[in-house]
Amino acid sequence: MSELIPVLSEQELREIDAEITHVPYRAAVAIDALKIVQAHRGWVSDESLQAIARHLEMSAEELDGIATFYNLIFRRPVGDNVILLCNSVTCWIKGCDSLQQRISEQLGIGLGETTPDNRYTLLPVTCLGACDKAPVMMVGEELHEDVTEQSLPTLFGERGE
Amino acid sequence: MNDATASLDRPLTRNVRADRKPTDLAAYEANGGYQGLRSAIGKLSPADCLQILKDSNLRGRGGAGFPTGMKWSFVPMDDSPGHKYLICNADEMEPGTFKDRLLLECDPHQLIEGMILSAYTIQADVAYIFIRAEYHKATQLLREAVAACEEKGYLGNNILGSDYSLKMHVHSSAGRYICGEETALISSLEGKRANPRAKPPFPQVSGLWGRPTIVNNVETLCNVHHIIERGADWFQSLGLTEDAGTKMYGVSGRVKKPGCWELPMGTPVREIIEDYAGGMADGYALRGFLPGGGSTDFLTPEHLDLAMDYDTIGKAGSRMGTGTMIILDDKTCPVGFVKNLMEFFARESCGFCTPCRDGLPWSAQVLDDIERGHGLPEDMDTLARQVTFIGAMGNTHCALAPGAMEPLQSAMKYFREDFERHIEGKACPYCTGGQH
Ligand SMILES: Cc1cc2nc3c(=O)[nH]c(=O)nc-3n(C[C@H](O)[C@H](O)[C@H](O)COP(=O)(O)O)c2cc1C
Ligand code: SF4
Ligand code: FES
């Protein structure tokens, strides 16, 4: 393991410790801590993982087993905006496959990939609970409903051709 | 949208505004909010509240329809030391389900009031709202609402001057459908991988951190303060059939007006699809529907006059599930439809047990072969065997895998000729230039 374990920032520690106050043991906040660090750094690097594990008094291996279980904990760098494209059944009926093709053409990335300028990462996601507005997708924290191939370019700002 | 009379028979959505803007604490109180809490805390005993809930015949709205009062009655009520927990399941991820989002985003205080009274009934001192990560707006609203309640004395120590205290936390999850299964949810809340747990022990006795725990769906909990305030008879009178109350019903797919509506429990399927959802979109005909999310069996147009309640839909060979229907139209390939669902369940398997971890990707592969025109006649027997082995409750550790088999087995029953046309014609008959 690397000796270069960076300390977590004061802010990150404060937020993690606030979670620890209401659980019976430190490792119980593993998921909260991963999310806190990810909110500050965009993703969870090996170094961050080790620092969190130390702070929670658990092994990095166990924490990694938890981190990799959850699809919204990123163990690889992602772009500034993560696109979550719903590909569950109603969105499939309403054409999410062709939307995905259009997004891939427009941004030049497939599922799981990030644009070279680091602006976008494209990921599939489970039913977003907005099936009456299918097809839907999220860009960052923003939900976009009734998406059409025509409306796609506007979602990606000046990137749209 | 809701006038004063409508508000009594549409309790869950009485504060839902036409523009879907959230109802804040002041507006919630102005419309009678927290009166249920005031009329109960310190005035009714927990046992009184439990009796009202039992008499009301409220059944869990998370999918299984288990009687809520009975579920709560298993919580030990001695005053041995240690925490007891109430958890709200706001993980809504069942494909085709979009009802809890509406309740969370439009009226967060209704849920919180329901949770306080539920927690009071089982004498829980800590409550969690476990909410899926993608529901950013609802998470924010709930956190603000909890803070506002603490300030008002609805939450925290000695609620409204009584000797009852409750702390409430909002936990934002990190993805994975399996977190919605209640024992997996508890594992996840403990900071672990979300693997389901063996029952017994049941969570009511040994749940979060080994302590008595109740997990209920958002919609279930939203009903509680109305029931305690207005009584079991009132609640029973809302339903059209044996099942009590109202229900959040939804329709998605190729209908004219997809949406979600609070209607009397037992409203006929036809009324929901034709009157509320406006009927099929122009140029499409109804072939079938999943009554309540991706893990329920298909029903067909011959079932349109059935009442949407737990028992009626159960007797027809499906489940009401979450009450949000997914429509299969005549231009959408049933094999592709089921394949999409199977790929979802295969992806979301937690990996704990073999029939699910290995069986679901196998089923998805067979369906993919058939859909692409590479299927063989014996593939139908393979699928039938998978349905038998994986679909049987008890062969797997939780209900995810049996749920995954429900749309498949019913599609093979009702749309068998579609599978056969794929196999005989060596192509998908619905594919026109890549479109299904
Ligand atoms: C795989 C799986 C996923 C589930 N997802 C959810 C969910 O997202 N929300 C929910 O309320 N119940 C879900 N359930 C049902 C819960 O296990 C549990 O029965 C429910 O939360 C109990 O609440 P209720 O009694 O109020 O219905 C799921 C069950 C399974 C097997
Ligand atoms: S049935 Fe699937 S999801 Fe459930 S415990 Fe087994 S592997 Fe996990
Ligand atoms: S299927 Fe896409 S939001 Fe539900």
Side-chain angles (χ1 to χ4, degrees):
Chain A
M1 293 263 165
S2 152
E3 295 109 62
L4 294 171
I5 294 174
V7 278
L8 297 168
S9 73
E10 296 245 323
Q11 177 69 22
E12 287 166 330
L13 286 173
R14 226 183 352 261
E15 290 176 31
I16 294 171
D17 290 343
E19 296 293 331
I20 293 176
T21 56
H22 60 81
V23 292
Y25 50 90
R26 301 172 76 84
V29 306
I31 296 159
D32 308 272
L34 289 163
K35 286 193 70 165
I36 288 166
V37 170
Q38 179 164 293
H40 287 281
R41 303 174 188 218
W43 65 296
V44 181
S45 66
D46 289 349
E47 289 75 17
S48 303
L49 187 95
Q50 286 164 26
I52 300 168
R54 263 196 179 191
H55 190 66
L56 300 185
E57 295 165 6
M58 65 196 295
S59 75
E61 288 72 12
E62 190 182 355
L63 185 61
D64 202 17
I66 295 163
T68 53
F69 184 91
Y70 294 94
N71 59 304
L72 295 174
I73 302 290
F74 305 131
R75 288 286 281 115
R76 282 191 280 165
V78 291
D80 303 333
N81 304 284
V82 175
I83 303 168
L84 297 176
L85 179 70
C86 174
N87 66 358
S88 287
V89 67
T90 304
C91 289
W92 173 80
I93 294 170
K94 294 288 195 81
C96 67
D97 285 352
S98 43
L99 273 188
Q100 186 195 317
Q101 277 174 16
R102 289 290 296 130
I103 297 171
S104 291
E105 280 162 28
Q106 212 177 313
L107 299 179
I109 49 172
L111 287 178
E113 294 175 358
T114 300
T115 53
D117 65 1
N118 250 342
R119 289 194 51 195
Y120 295 104
T121 298
L122 178 61
L123 296 174
V125 76
T126 297
C127 176
L128 281 170
C131 327
D132 52 339
K133 307 283 170 27
V136 301
M137 60 192 246
M138 293 182 75
V139 181
E141 297 193 356
E142 192 87 27
L143 179 72
H144 298 278
E145 304 174 333
D146 295 311
V147 182
T148 61
E149 297 190 21
Q150 290 70 36
S151 70
L152 268 184
T154 56
L155 302 185
F156 304 122
E158 73 277 9
R159 282 293 297 253
E161 270 88 31
Chain B
M1 192 161 83
N2 288 300
D3 56 28
T5 37
S7 78
L8 272 179
D9 32 284
R10 300 282 190 276
L12 300 178
T13 49
R14 64 197 209 122
N15 290 324
V16 174
R17 300 162 35 147
D19 63 5
R20 295 278 167 100
K21 287 256 164 55
T23 299
D24 64 13
L25 180 56
Y28 183 74
E29 286 178 317
N31 204 12
Y34 292 108
Q35 285 310 317
L37 185 69
R38 289 178 188 281
S39 65
I41 296 274
K43 304 202 174 75
L44 293 177
S45 71
D48 293 338
C49 292
L50 181 64
Q51 194 58 48
I52 298 172
L53 252 292
K54 278 185 174 165
D55 293 344
S56 77
N57 194 24
L58 172 65
R59 297 176 65 171
R61 306 297 198 232
F66 193 83
T68 307
M70 195 198 296
K71 183 172 184 170
W72 292 3
S73 69
F74 299 124
V75 175
M77 292 304 282
D78 53 22
D79 37 34
S80 61
H83 295 298
K84 283 198 272 188
Y85 298 100
L86 174 80
I87 304 174
C88 169
N89 188 343
D91 200 49
E92 188 165 69
M93 265 191 239
E94 179 76 15
T97 300
F98 51 100
K99 65 186 184 70
D100 296 339
R101 182 198 272 275
L102 180 92
L103 296 171
L104 293 164
E105 289 185 354
C106 296
D107 201 7
H109 282 284
Q110 170 170 253
L111 173 64
I112 292 175
E113 184 173 6
M115 286 183 70
I116 302 171
L117 283 172
S118 307
Y120 175 73
T121 305
I122 59 165
Q123 291 288 293
D125 60 334
V126 183
Y128 284 93
I129 302 173
F130 185 102
I131 184 165
R132 67 179 292 187
E134 297 91 335
Y135 282 8
H136 296 282
K137 184 175 156 196
T139 305
Q140 183 63 29
L141 287 168
L142 287 167
R143 290 202 166 127
E144 286 164 14
V146 167
C149 286
E150 282 170 350
E151 203 150 296
K152 269 268 180 163
Y154 296 147
L155 278 172
N157 290 332
N158 303 99
I159 293 172
L160 296 173
S162 70
D163 56 9
Y164 179 64
S165 302
L166 178 68
K167 184 82 189 135
M168 191 175 289
H169 304 285
V170 180
H171 173 88
S172 169
S173 183
R176 295 307 292 274
Y177 167 68
I178 191 58
C179 291
E181 196 283 332
E182 65 180 14
T183 60
L185 184 152
I186 290 170
S187 299
S188 186
L189 206 47
E190 291 179 356
K192 301 175 185 151
R193 292 166 73 97
N195 294 120
R197 300 178 176 185
K199 295 190 234 183
F202 287 89
Q204 288 97 317
V205 183
S206 175
L208 188 63
W209 293 302
R211 299 292 309 164
T213 303
I214 285 288
V215 181
N216 275 126
N217 172 257
V218 171
E219 186 185 344
T220 310
L221 292 167
C222 283
N223 275 297
V224 170
H225 87 261
H226 298 292
I227 294 172
I228 291 188
E229 198 178 333
R230 301 200 181 105
D233 291 343
W234 165 81
F235 190 70
Q236 298 257 12
S237 75
L238 295 178
L240 300 178
T241 52
E242 285 285 288
D243 284 332
T246 60
K247 177 79 194 74
M248 300 298 294
Y249 292 113
V251 180
S252 73
R254 297 209 185 273
V255 288
K256 284 203 183 75
K257 294 181 293 179
C260 179
W261 313 272
E262 179 186 16
L263 301 172
M265 178 69 87
T267 300
V269 176
R270 184 186 298 282
E271 194 175 324
I272 300 171
I273 295 180
E274 293 180 0
D275 297 352
Y276 290 91
M280 295 302 291
D282 292 335
Y284 294 93
L286 177 70
R287 281 207 73 197
F289 60 96
L290 302 183
S295 46
T296 58
D297 284 90
F298 276 103
L299 293 177
T300 63
E302 70 178 89
H303 299 112
L304 277 174
D305 292 311
L306 296 183
M308 267 290 269
D309 66 30
Y310 294 101
D311 295 343
T312 311
I313 299 298
K315 282 194 196 109
S318 185
R319 293 188 303 121
M320 187 168 81
T322 58
T324 43
M325 309 177 202
I326 312 167
I327 302 291
L328 171 68
D329 61 75
D330 61 338
K331 302 208 167 56
T332 295
C333 173
V335 179
F337 187 115
V338 175
K339 180 186 115 172
N340 174 279
L341 286 168
M342 194 59 75
E343 286 174 343
F344 162 81
F345 289 114
R347 180 175 80 190
E348 296 301 328
S349 166
C350 85
F352 184 86
C353 53
T354 317
C356 178
R357 182 188 58 240
D358 290 354
L360 300 189
W362 183 16
S363 304
Q365 183 59 53
V366 174
L367 288 167
D368 187 59
D369 286 344
I370 295 176
E371 223 260 334
R372 287 170 186 276
H374 306 156
L376 303 170
E378 51 268 37
D379 286 346
M380 294 304 282
D381 304 327
T382 307
L383 288 176
R385 264 198 312 278
Q386 289 168 344
V387 164
T388 309
F389 288 127
I390 305 172
M393 283 288 183
N395 284 357
T396 57
H397 194 53
C398 87
L400 183 142
M405 291 298 136
E406 293 184 22
L408 174 60
Q409 69 178 9
S410 48
M412 288 172 69
K413 176 161 115 196
Y414 293 120
F415 312 119
R416 194 171 184 92
E417 76 281 5
D418 284 283
F419 289 79
E420 289 166 356
R421 275 165 70 207
H422 280 78
I423 294 171
E424 284 155 20
K426 299 197 186 316
C428 174
Y430 294 83
C431 281
T432 46
Q435 196 61 37
H436 294 281

